[in-house]
Amino acid sequence: MEAVTGAVTEILVFLYQMSGNLGWAIILFTLLIRLVLYPLTMSSLRASNRMRELQPEIKKLKEKHGKNKEKLQAAQLELYKKYNVNPLAGCLPQIVQLGVLILLYTVLIDFLSQTEVNGVNIDPHFFYLNLGLPDSTYVLPLIAGASQMVLSIMIAPGSEKRDIIPNKSKKKAVQEANKKEEGFAEMAASMQQQMLYILPVMTVILAAQFPSGLALYWTITTVASVFQQWKISGWGGIATYSKRAVVYLQSRSK
């Protein structure tokens, strides 16, 4: 582990000497890490995207096989085989990336706490920021939170409600089932909506407490993730929310 952290520190020092500024060194370092992790990231995003596309088919299988778990599992495996999808393909790269992020967090925290690293004097100033201290203006934390909000909306699953139980039936049992279905749908939508805002808010809070150099790293990482997500699946939830906003504004103007 010490050899790895030492190598990362050497890279940061080299980038600092090359760029002449710690802020640009962190940005270059972030882009370098994203480039190294690019194959893993794109593999994970593609796998997650394929799994989202298969959700309607998986839903049909659940309706067809009901509580028969053995038949359901066999049918799902057959579906994955048919479309050449590995359900774990999206998880394993994420685990690797999480380990890398924890390592980088440790190295950056240690790096930003020093004024001299490997015999090189480190100037922590970048524009108005002292990268070794939290951003007292909260500009960078807010940018970090905003970029996280964009990413969260982009990857948010479709919020359309699937009408599994027909609403037209007048039977009391069916109507009761409809009430339960609508209740579950509303609860799921509410939880999804809450998570959409919780992560960006937590990002702002954490970025405001950590050294701004770490907040800068996190912001650039998130912006890169937005670009990669857009390359795989387009604007995703952004397009959905934009259409809703247009419809809402049109209805208000009438």
Side-chain angles (χ1 to χ4, degrees), residues 72-83:
L72 176 60
Q73 289 176 354
Q76 285 179 333
L77 289 174
E78 187 65 29
L79 180 68
Y80 296 148
K81 184 178 179 181
K82 178 181 177 181
Y83 289 96

Side-chain angles (χ1 to χ4, degrees), residues 111-136:
F111 190 92
L112 292 168
S113 66
Q114 302 178 63
T115 57
E116 182 180 319
V117 181
N118 295 352
V120 178
N121 292 323
I122 304 296
D123 182 0
H125 295 93
F126 180 59
F127 292 105
Y128 72 94
L129 294 167
N130 182 334
L131 296 175
L133 300 174
D135 182 3
S136 58

Side-chain angles (χ1 to χ4, degrees), residues 15 46 50 58 70 73 77 119 136 147 190 194 223 231 251-252:
L15 292 174
R46 289 192 182 100
R50 285 197 293 268
I58 293 174
E70 291 183 0
Q73 289 176 354
L77 289 174
S136 58
S147 58
S190 176
Q194 289 176 21
V223 171
K231 190 173 181 180
S251 64
R252 295 284 292 180

Side-chain angles (χ1 to χ4, degrees), residues 209-223:
Q209 296 179 358
F210 289 144
S212 52
L214 193 62
L216 177 63
Y217 167 79
W218 185 255
T219 301
I220 301 301
T221 294
T222 307
V223 171

Side-chain angles (χ1 to χ4, degrees), residues 36-50:
V36 171
L37 294 177
Y38 183 81
L40 279 175
T41 303
M42 297 305 283
S43 172
S44 176
L45 290 176
R46 289 192 182 100
S48 298
N49 195 45
R50 285 197 293 268

Side-chain angles (χ1 to χ4, degrees), residues 224-241:
S225 297
V226 167
F227 174 76
Q228 290 176 331
Q229 184 68 41
W230 169 79
K231 190 173 181 180
I232 289 294
S233 57
W235 289 111
I238 294 286
T240 302
Y241 277 80

Side-chain angles (χ1 to χ4, degrees), residues 93-107:
Q94 293 289 352
I95 294 173
V96 174
Q97 291 184 70
L98 180 60
V100 173
L101 284 174
I102 293 173
L103 172 65
L104 295 178
Y105 167 82
T106 304
V107 174

